[in-house]
Amino acid sequence: GAVVSQHPSWVICKSGTSVKIECRSLDFQATTMFWYRQFPKQSLMLMATSNEGSKATYEQGVEKDKFLINHASLTLSTLTVTSAHPEDSSFYICSARVPLAGGTDTQYFGPGTRLTVL
Amino acid sequence: QKEVEQDPGPLSVPEGAIVSLNCTYSNSAFQYFMWYRQYSRKGPELLMYTYSSGNKEDGRFTAQVDKSSKYISLFIRDSQPSDSATYLCAMVKAAGNKLTFGGGTRVLVKP
């Protein structure tokens, strides 16, 4: 099956610094990737849709200047949390769109990145 | 009202029992249905997908869709402690659209 990796798996940073999270599709090309945020015991919250070679589409309420997304190649999307604050501490998960038989598609997810902002 | 409703659990069963999970949805535009398993502090893993009413079986897992009732189910036979996880249903209206997730059901299989 399709494999998606994320790096780093866990990051701790000081308030005010920026953190970059990488999402890679390892054995396939992904024109569309997604970034989610998940708080403890809650479901996934879609932050933005990342399309290779174009600007990301952000969900309502997500600050695009704070969460910078770059999808420069067919196998790599990055999420940069700028000027991170403790309230940005969360579990960030990326996914890649993969076509399925039957005319639809689904998403394969990375293992997630746990961000802790002190 | 959420578009997709899922009981959060936790659902606790003894090892070997059948686990029964379900989701209801309100929008008949949903056409494709998926089940994901998520272990603690890991990304979701796709278990099954289906796009027609009826049953689909894969090993110990059976996915069931009833579009007329807007109801989907996942059954896990011969449950194992390793099945302890959160199970998320997801659905999409058409290819290329965003997934809409249920809130997830936490399952605990006790040895």
Side-chain angles (χ1 to χ4, degrees):
Chain A
V3 180
V4 178
S5 71
Q6 268 182 255
H7 178 80
S9 58
W10 193 5
V11 57
I12 301 174
C13 69
K14 293 182 179 180
S15 184
T17 61
S18 295
V19 174
K20 180 185 283 189
I21 302 170
E22 292 186 348
C23 178
R24 293 181 184 273
S25 56
L26 296 186
D27 52 358
F28 66 102
Q29 293 182 330
T31 54
T32 304
M33 291 183 170
F34 303 86
W35 286 95
Y36 293 83
R37 187 173 180 176
Q38 187 176 36
F39 291 105
K41 298 186 179 180
Q42 293 188 24
S43 192
L44 300 154
M45 184 190 81
L46 179 65
M47 298 174 67
T49 301
S50 167
N51 293 297
E52 187 266 336
S54 63
K55 290 182 179 180
T57 303
Y58 290 82
E59 294 299 300
Q60 192 173 10
V62 177
E63 299 175 61
K64 61 180 181 182
D65 294 329
K66 181 167 186 63
F67 298 100
L68 300 179
I69 292 171
N70 184 282
H71 194 158
S73 79
L74 288 171
T75 59
L76 174 64
S77 176
T78 59
L79 168 68
T80 302
V81 183
T82 62
S83 187
H85 292 283
E87 58 266 29
D88 298 323
S89 299
S90 188
F91 193 52
Y92 292 87
I93 312 174
C94 71
S95 69
R97 176 176 282 156
V98 176
L100 293 173
T104 186
D105 50 52
T106 187
Q107 295 174 29
Y108 280 80
F109 287 83
T113 296
R114 182 161 302 280
L115 170 63
T116 301
V117 185
L118 303 175
Chain B
Q1 183 186 5
K2 294 180 182 177
E3 280 194 292
V4 180
E5 297 279 358
Q6 187 176 5
D7 189 323
L11 178 62
S12 183
V13 300
E15 183 176 357
I18 295 175
V19 176
S20 175
L21 304 163
N22 56 74
C23 288
T24 58
Y25 60 98
S26 57
N27 194 330
S28 59
F30 287 122
Q31 296 296 319
Y32 304 95
F33 307 91
M34 294 129 199
W35 285 95
Y36 287 86
R37 176 176 63 195
Q38 185 177 24
Y39 291 112
S40 181
R41 301 188 178 193
K42 298 290 184 184
E45 171 193 8
L46 179 65
L47 286 176
M48 297 188 72
Y49 71 93
T50 185
Y51 49 87
S52 57
S53 284
N55 293 353
K56 181 179 180 181
E57 197 172 310
D58 184 1
R60 295 185 299 113
F61 299 93
T62 299
Q64 194 174 76
V65 174
D66 183 347
K67 288 187 176 180
S68 62
S69 300
K70 300 190 186 67
Y71 188 92
I72 66 171
S73 299
L74 178 71
F75 301 98
I76 308 173
R77 290 183 299 280
D78 188 24
S79 59
Q80 305 295 311
S82 58
D83 294 325
S84 298
T86 296
Y87 291 81
L88 298 149
C89 65
M91 45 197 79
V92 65
K93 295 171 187 174
N97 285 177
K98 294 179 285 190
L99 288 177
T100 301
F101 283 92
T105 299
R106 185 166 158 248
V107 171
L108 180 61
V109 181
K110 295 184 176 179

